[in-house]
Structure formats: structure tokens, C-alpha cells
Amino acid sequence: MKTIDLSGKWNYKTDIDDSQTIDSIKFENNNFNLPGSTCDNRIGKKIEYFDKISKEAVRAPRERYEYIAPLWLQKTVNIPNDTDGKTVRLFMERVNIASELWIDGVKTDRQIIELSTPHIYELTGKITPGEHTFTLKIDNRNLLNLDTMASGYSVDTQGYWNGVIGRIELQYEEKEHIDSLQVYTDDKGITLKVVETSDVHSPFKTEKATVTVNVTSPKGDLLGEKIFETKVFNSKQVDYFRYDISEIDYWDEFNPNLYTATVKYECNGHTDIKSVKFGMRTIKTENKKILLNNRQISLRGTIDCAIYPLTGYPPMDIEVWRKNFKTIKSYGLNHVRFHAWCPPECAFNAADEIGMYISVEMPLWLNHDVCALETGEDPIHRQYFMQEAINISKTYGNHPSFIMFSNGNENMGDFDMLNDITTCIKAYDNRRIYTLTTNFDHPIMPCEDYLCAYEAGGHNVRIQNCQDKAAENTSLDYSSAVKDVSVPIISFEVGQYCVYPDVDLIEKYTGNILPVNLDAIKKFMIEKNVYHKLNDYIKASGDLAVKLYKEDIEAALRTKDFGGFELLSLSDYTGQSTATVGILDVFYESKGLISHDEFKNFAGEAVPLFKAKRIFKNTDTLEAELDLYDFGEKKINNPVYNLTVQNGEQVFYKTSTTESKVSIPLNSITKSTMLSVILEVNGYKNTWRIFVFAENKIENNVRMIKSEEELDDIIKNGGKAIVTKECFKNPIHGSFIPVFWSPVHFPSQKPCGAIIDNKHRIFDDFPTEKYPDYQWKRLLDNSVGTDISKFAGEVKPIIETVPNFFDNTASSPLFETEIGKAKLLFCGFDLDGDYPECKQLLSSITQYVNSDKF
């Protein structure tokens, strides 16, 4: 096949009110660069920053130039003589959302509406050698009635860019050519589906043809040639050819082996040769397991929502995808779910090379919770998405990384439509596993191979709704769900813990996207006088998010025969009211919260697991179960557990055992402490913290202020006392678990962590680090804080709450101050709780206030 590159400058004309026609359009500008978008070319309404924070301001970053309307493009193309008598087509790799083509003012075929695969116009017999004028009309309006949520078409993700961002070229070749080449692998070799074209149009007239197949191994060795004779009786004919491979190098995450199949088609004196890369892999589900190459795999995934802040559209450069996938893999993950969209070809190529498992969804997200429509309410959706599924399969189906397919995200409505699409596409292409829709527990249909949801069989399969239980111990799993659901379960969108937005990232937005949301949050921080605390807020909220992600992930890893998990997300989602939930920022750069090696310790291919309570009295015995999540390249047989428990720098307990249970007395501990648990198996290491509380003296002669009258008295007459939460004006309720997703998208007053002055003498006997761990959960959940910026005197916060970005109130549940003649410790914690950490905090507070340190 030969190509004529049509990239470069095109004439253009905007058509904001869709009033132009091919006869009326007049092109006055000649500097629209393709590939590119209207924003690339600085066309459209220029977006400005908002004056102040609002729900609209923080919804999402915006294209610097917004253009949602038809755009006309025109270019004069010289068609060479050797196209005469050939098959000719116009190929445009990725267009948003619709295109129409005229050649010399004559309409060519119908409008193409397509989001996921190339727009291709067949021009055979419609164009001759010589100079011709190509006119395109690109329309990025919501022609498919998709609403605003699907990542393939949403202001929250890649926006509504207009243009052609991939290859744009004329392609031509002999009429006798290979139109399509699909490779179907099994455990003995491959079956090739070859679509051959010719000028034969009758079953009563045939042409002899020869198809020659060569396969090259991943090492570059030629495996031998097979020649097949066939008879061509149709202009576009389908044939299947078998090629066995005796010694197979399988493709998987550890060994991304890629073969090349080269097919030569000879007919009527013409020859066409085409090649395709493929991986030898099979995938199926059996006995609630996902089997890749007949070996069970476990998915450890993240989500890609098409948020790329430099381009504003999906990268068409394979190097970007290589970098991102390598980063994801460095954190121990092996899977990416493309959330309500399908990535371009270069993403699949990079995933094939690196060994990344890919789940693809169509740009479909419709339910009445978030949209005016539900699935199937617009009749065009049945026809469009059936064809879209086929198009995706034909275009990207050869990629071994493409192992899973869902019709879309969180769809409700016409499950009959989704069932029909899934049944048909699964029969059409068995190279991957399928589900109706991602999320929402539902009865499993016969066509479904797996379920991806946050509830399965009526059971929770992510920690969100069972945080109290997860806080008690490190033993939570989802075995009940596995028992009650007939297919493998993948935990849906795990995490979503709000990390305080890094508003200084504004400087990195040097491309098409304007970070209006970050700018609005920054202005609000300055207004509330907390901008100088930005780094502390990021670190504290991020530390908490990392701890909670660890618990979410380990719950999935502890569950035998669980299909896996998909985080939301390793990197930030900057739309839907600014959901900065990532360990990485939106540029896939680290926030400095945890190294990839540390994250991999609890999210990698093999993870030691320690199942025990978190909070103990020193009169208890630590009973723990040791386990190993093991999905590495080579199975660890008869694992040896090397367990070390440290009390500060001192080794408190150490053993090396093949037994799965240990029992550790704690009665030698005389001071409340935090123990560090390190479990190592065959070079894989994981760590936990547990807390042991000793009996401590509570000073009963400390004055407790519980009313305004008492407070006024001590301020006037002097003394020192603890001011309890009853005296907190306009109390702000505390919470250990931070804001879910975004405090605007899901309105919430919750904070996002806390900053502790852990060197303060009040914590001499209370074990804590700078940021809270699970010893603070019950305490923070039963606490109130108050706005410390409203105090006239100097306030010394011992614990400061990290506010959410839509509140930004500097509050504290525990702080010191002097008012009038009184020295006061304001304490918003409930000190009457009958649990070890509460009693220890009461002891620590009363002893501190009763000492000369206060």
C-alpha cells in the first residue's frame, strides 16, 4: 500500500451556527495544521480564569480555546498517475466526532460518526489522477446524544476538541489486496482470518489465488512458510488459514513476546503483502478464575480517563504511552481499564511491548443518576454501539494486550440492548473476556465472563462501605462475594480518596488546557490565608490516602480467587469537580507521597500478608496469620515467612517459619507504643503498624471546662484547664476517612487528614507520627474542631485538620492558647470512650495539663 501524507496546512472556515454549505463556504484562512485540534490552532472562544471559586469553576480544566460547532477544512491534493485503476481511500485516524467529505464540491458517501476507530472514505472510482480539492466538515457537537459523562466525550476528561489528531492520508493499492488480517491464537498455533479483495463479483466466475503465510518468532527466527491455494469468487472474500506453532513463546506481563505474521496474497497477476504483530496468548474464565495461557492471573489495575493536560486529547505518540505504562508497571500494577473510551492504536502497541493488560470500554455512560438519559432510551444507541463494538474488535483485536471488553461505565436502563451487543460481539470475536457494563451488581448473564463492580452478589468488594470493619484489623476480605458470584470479580474503582490539590501545578499546564479549577482553588486558599500550608496539606492528605489505598488493595489480595482490583486512580482525575485522588499527578509524575518501590511492596506480583488486629492492650496476645499473595512469574513453593516486629529501634520479636500462624505475648510492654511489623518472603517485603496501649494514670484533679460560664470564669480569674468540645463554637465534625472523590461532586464538609505535632510533650506516652494512623480513627471520628483563625490570641495547634479545598477552614480539635489570665487546652475529642487509645489520650492530656510543661 502506498500513501499520500495530507498532514500540514489546510484552509479553514469556522461555522459556529452551522449555516454554511458546500456551495456557500468561502475559505479565507490557510493556516490550520493537521494533525491537530482547533485548540492547537488557537481557534474558538478564548477561556479565561474565573474570578472566584464556585462549583462551575472547579468542575474541570478547560481548553484554552473552546470550539463546539462544525469546522470546514480544505486542501488541494495532487493525485499521482499510479492511482489509476487502484483502490483508493481517505484515512483519518481519530476524529471528534463526525466528518463529511466533498471532492471538487461533490459529496462523497455519507457522514461518518465515529469516536473510537478511524474515519475511512472509500474513493475507488470516485477520483482520478490530477489536482483535486478536498473539503472536510468536522463536527464535534453531541450528535450521538451521549450526554456529558463518558470519557470518550466529556468536558471532565478530554473535552470536546474538534479536529483530526492522528494520521491523515490517502492510501492506494491494487484492487487485489488484503483488506483485513485477523489473528486468532490458541495453545497449538494460530488461525488467520484473511479478507481478500478482487474485481470478481460472481460466484459463477472464480479466480485462482495463492495465500502464503510466514511467521517470525519473538527472537526473529523464521518459523517456516505455508502456501494455501484458494478460489476467489467475490470482491471481498473471507478465508481462514491454519498455521501451527510447535514451540510457543507465550505473551504475558512478564514475557511480552511478539510474533509477526506476514501474509502474501497473489491473484490475477497482482501481489499484496501485509504483516501483523501478535502475541501467543489465550484468555478465558473458569471456576471463578481468569486464566491467561491456562494459568490464573490477578489484575492489579488503574484507570485511564483520557485526561491529558498538554494536548487536551489522547496522545498519538507511542512514547507517551510507553512512559505511562512503564510508570504504572513500576508501581506493581499490570492492568489499565480505559474508562468509557477506547485508546488509539499506539496505546495498544505500547501495551503489547511492555506487557500491560488492557480493558476497553465504549464511550457509553448513561444512567439517570448522572444523565438525562439511560442506556437504550435513544434508539440510535443500539445500532451505533453494536457497530462500534465490531469496529473496535476489527481495528484493535490483534493486540494481545486487549484482554477485556465492557460496553461502558455504570450503565443502567436497557440491559437487553447490552446483552445483545455482548452476545454478538463475543460470538464474533472470542479473543477476550466480556461483561455487560462496568459497575453495578446484577444477575450474571450467560454472555458474561466476569463482573467488575463495587458490590457483587450483594456483598461489598471495596472498603468504602466497610471502613469501620477494615479499621479493626488487617483481615478483611471478599470471600463471601466470591462464594456467591459465578464469575471472577474485579473490584471497581477502588480508593477515590481526596488528596489536597497541588495548585502550584498550574505552571506545568503549558499546553492546550487551562487549569481554571486549580486557579480558583488557589485564589480561595489565599483568601482563607492557608496557601502557605499547601505542601503540608498535600503531604498529610496524601499520607492518609496511601494508607487507605494499602488497605483497599490488600483486602483484594487477601481474597482467594478474586479477579483483581482497579484503582481510581494511580493518577489524578481533574474533572468531575476536581478529583485529585492519585498518588501521581495528572502528568504521571510522583507527588512525593510514596516511592514506586514502597507502593509495589503491597501492590506487586507477590505480596506478604499479615492478618491481625491493629489495636491491643499490653495484657493481650498478638495472634496473627501469615499469608502470601503470589502471582509472580514463578510460584513460590513452601514459602518461608521472615517476621520481624520492632519497637522503635529495638527488635521486639523475630522468627523465620513455614507456619501460617504466630502468637506473640505483649505483656512485656510497659509503655504505650507503636510496633512496626516487617514480613519478608523470598525477597518480597511488606510492613504494617500495630498499637499497644498500657494502663496509664489519669489525673483526676485537672479542671474540665464544659460550659461558657466556666470558661468566662477561668478567663477572668486565671488558672489552667482543659476546655471540652461542649465549648467549641460552630463545631466542625472530624473524620478519619477523608472526602470521597471531591467535596463538590459529592458535597461534603469532611476534612482530608490531619497534621500532628508529634514531638509535643503531650504525646510522650501516646504513640503517634506526624500524620494519623488507625490509632486515631475512633478518636477523630468522635471529635470536633473549631476555626482557629477566629481566635484573637495566639493559638498553638497540636493537631491541625487538613480541610477540603471547598472549605479551607483552618481548624483544630486540639490546641493551646492563653485567653485573659487562663492557660487553656482546647480538646474536641470525646474523652469518655471506653477503648484503649481514648483512655491513653485522656491520660496523656491530663498529665500534660497537670505538669509544669503546660
Side-chain angles (χ1 to χ4, degrees):
M1 183 173 65
K2 294 182 180 180
T3 62
I4 300 171
D5 185 6
L6 299 184
S7 65
K9 291 189 181 298
W10 286 60
N11 299 324
Y12 78 91
K13 177 69 175 176
T14 58
D15 188 6
I16 197 70
D17 55 1
D18 193 18
S19 62
Q20 300 294 319
T21 68
I22 189 64
D23 297 319
S24 67
I25 192 80
K26 295 187 185 306
F27 291 90
E28 300 163 357
N29 304 288
N30 63 353
N31 58 347
F32 194 102
N33 282 301
L34 289 180
S37 69
T38 46
C39 191
D40 283 325
N41 287 279
R42 301 297 184 260
I43 294 169
K45 176 186 175 183
K46 188 174 181 180
I47 301 300
E48 304 290 346
Y49 285 118
F50 289 81
D51 292 332
K52 59 189 300 183
I53 199 165
S54 66
K55 185 175 181 180
E56 181 63 18
V58 301
R59 174 170 179 178
R62 310 298 168 91
E63 282 189 292
R64 291 180 188 271
Y65 294 84
E66 184 181 83
Y67 184 83
I68 304 174
L71 174 74
W72 294 80
L73 299 165
Q74 192 174 82
K75 189 181 186 72
T76 299
V77 181
N78 188 32
I79 307 299
N81 290 330
D82 63 348
T83 60
D84 195 24
K86 302 290 198 305
T87 296
V88 185
R89 66 183 71 90
L90 172 65
F91 176 95
M92 297 186 290
E93 188 174 7
R94 185 146 293 208
V95 181
N96 191 30
I97 183 173
S99 67
E100 293 177 83
L101 172 67
W102 290 260
I103 297 177
D104 300 328
V106 178
K107 181 74 177 289
T108 302
D109 295 335
R110 59 167 178 81
Q111 180 189 53
I112 296 177
I113 302 178
E114 173 58 50
L115 276 167
S116 302
T117 61
H119 289 211
I120 299 173
Y121 287 91
E122 294 292 343
L123 305 181
T124 306
K126 301 174 185 178
I127 196 165
T128 59
E131 196 171 82
H132 295 276
T133 300
F134 281 59
T135 304
L136 287 168
K137 182 182 179 183
I138 309 295
D139 194 344
N140 65 333
R141 291 174 297 175
N142 187 10
L143 304 174
L144 283 170
N145 207 1
L146 296 175
D147 211 279
T148 65
M149 298 299 290
S151 296
Y153 188 80
S154 172
V155 69
D156 293 296
T157 58
Q158 57 184 296
Y160 304 122
W161 56 271
N162 189 319
V164 183
I165 59 169
R167 288 154 46 212
I168 177 168
E169 62 193 25
L170 277 180
Q171 302 173 345
Y172 62 101
E173 56 192 331
E174 298 292 344
K175 286 186 178 179
E176 291 81 4
H177 67 270
I178 299 169
D179 184 71
S180 175
L181 186 59
Q182 301 289 323
V183 183
Y184 300 84
T185 60
D186 55 45
D187 56 7
K188 294 182 180 178
I190 61 173
T191 298
L192 284 159
K193 176 185 176 183
V194 182
V195 179
E196 309 115 349
T197 64
S198 70
D199 59 0
V200 179
H201 302 282
S202 169
F204 304 107
K205 175 191 173 187
T206 61
E207 289 280 357
K208 290 183 179 180
T210 302
V211 174
T212 304
V213 179
N214 280 285
V215 175
T216 305
S217 77
K219 299 181 180 66
D221 299 325
L222 287 173
L223 300 186
E225 183 176 272
K226 290 193 73 172
I227 300 173
F228 304 90
E229 301 292 338
T230 188
K231 288 184 178 181
V232 177
F233 62 86
N234 195 18
S235 60
K236 189 174 280 191
Q237 181 170 313
V238 180
D239 279 315
Y240 290 86
F241 305 102
R242 180 68 194 175
Y243 189 104
D244 290 333
I245 300 174
S246 58
E247 295 183 10
I248 294 175
D249 292 321
Y250 284 104
W251 182 96
D252 63 17
E253 63 189 280
F254 307 107
N255 299 289
N257 295 311
L258 293 175
Y259 287 78
T260 302
T262 302
V263 179
K264 181 169 67 172
Y265 168 54
E266 296 171 285
C267 181
N268 198 25
H270 297 290
T271 299
D272 185 31
I273 300 175
K274 285 191 170 63
S275 295
V276 61
K277 287 186 179 294
F278 67 95
M280 288 298 300
R281 68 112 176 102
T282 60
I283 188 163
K284 62 182 178 180
T285 61
E286 189 176 278
N287 297 325
K288 306 184 182 184
K289 301 179 178 69
I290 302 174
L291 301 180
L292 185 78
N293 308 326
N294 295 313
R295 179 184 178 187
Q296 185 180 6
I297 63 168
S298 175
L299 299 176
R300 305 179 305 278
T302 185
I303 292 175
D304 187 305
C305 295
I307 301 175
Y308 290 91
L310 296 181
T311 56
Y313 50 73
M316 305 304 288
D317 178 359
I318 192 172
E319 289 304 324
V320 177
W321 293 104
R322 285 175 176 144
K323 174 184 175 293
N324 290 352
F325 288 154
K326 285 178 181 177
T327 298
I328 290 167
K329 210 163 186 182
S330 74
Y331 282 79
L333 307 182
N334 61 4
H335 169 55
V336 177
R337 170 184 155 228
F338 285 86
H339 173 284
W341 77 292
C342 176
E345 186 84 36
C346 53
F348 290 97
N349 288 333
D352 293 346
E353 292 177 13
I354 290 163
M356 186 66 69
Y357 303 136
I358 296 299
S359 175
V360 169
E361 295 177 353
M362 292 192 287
L364 180 59
W365 181 1
L366 295 174
N367 73 68
H368 284 163
D369 287 339
V370 294
C371 303
L373 286 177
E374 283 200 326
T375 306
E377 288 184 352
D378 187 331
I380 193 63
H381 289 160
R382 176 178 284 270
Q383 178 182 344
Y384 176 80
F385 285 109
M386 179 70 80
Q387 186 60 51
E388 179 83 336
I390 294 171
N391 289 348
I392 288 171
S393 174
K394 289 175 67 174
T395 305
Y396 309 116
N398 286 323
H399 292 281
S401 56
F402 183 7
I403 67 167
M404 302 166 72
F405 182 85
S406 168
N407 291 304
N409 178 73
E410 294 186 19
N411 288 299
M412 292 294 285
D414 189 351
F415 267 47
D416 181 52
M417 179 188 108
L418 298 179
N419 184 60
D420 286 350
I421 293 173
T422 306
T423 301
C424 289
I425 190 63
K426 185 176 179 180
Y428 176 80
D429 190 345
N430 65 354
R431 289 177 288 186
R432 59 202 54 87
I433 56 177
Y434 294 88
T435 191
L436 289 191
T437 180
T438 312
N439 202 14
F440 296 138
D441 195 6
H442 62 266
I444 302 301
M445 303 293 178
C447 62
E448 290 188 279
D449 299 301
Y450 68 96
L451 175 67
C452 181
Y454 73 86
E455 288 184 345
H459 307 281
N460 290 311
V461 289
R462 73 180 184 198
I463 286 179
Q464 179 188 355
N465 293 323
C466 43
Q467 290 284 6
D468 289 344
K469 187 175 181 181
E472 293 175 3
N473 55 55
T474 59
S475 304
L476 179 72
D477 66 27
Y478 309 127
S479 54
S480 296
V482 172
K483 177 177 178 292
D484 290 346
V485 176
S486 60
V487 295
I489 302 166
I490 298 157
S491 190
F492 170 87
E493 296 186 358
V494 164
Q496 306 187 50
Y497 304 113
C498 185
V499 179
Y500 199 92
D502 184 358
V503 297
D504 286 347
L505 279 181
I506 290 171
E507 297 177 359
K508 292 177 73 171
Y509 279 78
T510 58
N512 287 344
I513 298 300
L514 188 71
V516 296
N517 56 338
L518 297 183
D519 178 77
I521 295 167
K522 182 175 180 178
K523 287 172 179 171
F524 188 43
M525 292 186 76
I526 293 169
E527 177 188 330
K528 297 280 278 188
N529 194 30
V530 295
Y531 174 62
H532 62 285
K533 301 179 180 181
L534 175 63
N535 286 336
D536 287 334
Y537 284 179
I538 294 169
K539 289 177 182 176
S541 59
D543 180 86
L544 178 57
V546 167
K547 290 182 173 98
L548 296 174
Y549 272 117
K550 183 177 191 290
E551 300 311 314
D552 257 309
I553 289 169
E554 288 187 0
L557 304 191
R558 285 190 289 265
T559 307
K560 185 181 178 184
D561 291 339
F562 202 60
F565 64 85
E566 293 167 349
L567 301 178
L568 185 57
S569 157
L570 190 65
S571 59
D572 279 344
Y573 186 112
T574 51
Q576 287 181 23
S577 303
T578 308
T580 49
V581 296
I583 304 305
L584 308 178
D585 66 28
V586 72
F587 297 90
Y588 278 81
E589 300 294 335
S590 173
K591 296 181 182 180
L593 306 176
I594 186 172
S595 72
H596 56 84
D597 285 336
E598 290 172 315
F599 195 90
K600 194 174 183 177
N601 283 345
F602 58 79
E605 63 194 42
V607 176
L609 298 168
F610 180 83
K611 306 175 189 179
K613 290 199 310 179
R614 301 182 194 274
I615 308 291
F616 294 87
K617 298 178 182 178
N618 63 346
T619 53
D620 295 335
T621 297
L622 193 167
E623 304 283 356
E625 183 179 348
L626 313 180
D627 200 357
L628 179 68
Y629 165 90
D630 185 9
F631 285 87
E633 184 177 6
K634 294 182 179 178
K635 188 83 173 172
I636 299 171
N637 295 316
N638 303 314
V640 176
Y641 299 102
N642 298 298
L643 176 65
T644 303
V645 181
Q646 291 192 186
N647 187 351
E649 298 298 320
Q650 302 296 316
V651 174
F652 177 74
Y653 178 86
K654 191 170 186 176
T655 188
S656 182
T657 179
T658 58
E659 299 296 321
S660 61
K661 293 184 178 180
V662 294
S663 182
I664 308 170
L666 300 173
N667 54 6
S668 63
I669 293 174
T670 57
K671 179 180 179 180
S672 297
T673 190
M674 178 183 76
L675 299 179
S676 297
V677 177
I678 304 103
L679 183 60
E680 183 270 336
V681 179
N682 210 42
Y684 296 98
K685 184 179 76 170
N686 200 1
T687 61
W688 299 264
R689 296 181 180 95
I690 59 174
F691 302 91
V692 182
F693 291 94
E695 290 291 330
N696 265 293
K697 178 184 177 184
I698 295 172
E699 301 281 352
N700 294 316
N701 58 344
V702 176
R703 187 174 178 183
M704 296 280 191
I705 305 295
K706 296 188 176 184
S707 69
E708 288 292 328
E709 292 77 16
E710 292 178 280
L711 184 58
D712 290 340
D713 176 72
I714 196 171
I715 290 172
K716 181 179 178 180
N717 297 309
K720 58 182 183 178
I722 297 170
V723 181
T724 64
K725 65 180 183 177
E726 287 82 2
C727 296
F728 277 47
K729 294 182 179 179
N730 301 314
I732 300 169
H733 292 282
S735 173
F736 178 73
I737 303 302
V739 166
F740 177 80
W741 189 244
S742 158
V744 183
H745 193 77
F746 297 104
S748 173
Q749 295 299 313
K750 277 188 176 184
C752 295
I755 303 164
I756 302 169
D757 180 6
N758 62 311
K759 303 300 182 185
H760 195 285
R761 299 304 298 270
I762 207 168
F763 296 122
D764 284 353
D765 292 315
F766 190 95
T768 187
E769 295 182 320
K770 186 174 182 179
Y771 308 122
D773 208 318
Y774 278 95
Q775 85 276 32
W776 285 102
K777 184 178 187 303
R778 284 185 283 194
L779 291 165
L780 286 168
D781 285 349
N782 293 291
S783 73
V784 297
T786 192
D787 184 351
I788 55 177
S789 68
K790 298 291 173 63
F791 274 74
E794 182 184 0
V795 172
K796 297 178 181 177
I798 300 171
I799 299 176
E800 185 173 351
T801 301
V802 177
N804 70 61
F805 67 78
F806 212 59
D807 175 28
N808 277 336
T809 299
S811 70
S812 170
L814 188 66
F815 59 93
E816 297 175 272
T817 189
E818 292 187 27
I819 306 176
K821 296 180 179 181
K823 284 186 175 182
L824 302 172
L825 179 74
F826 279 74
C827 177
F829 293 102
D830 180 2
L831 298 178
D832 296 326
D834 187 23
Y835 48 93
E837 59 269 40
C838 184
K839 290 182 176 181
Q840 177 60 71
L841 185 62
L842 176 60
S843 171
S844 294
I845 287 174
T846 55
Q847 288 191 59
Y848 171 69
V849 172
N850 211 28
S851 72
D852 57 7
K853 302 167 191 172
F854 179 57

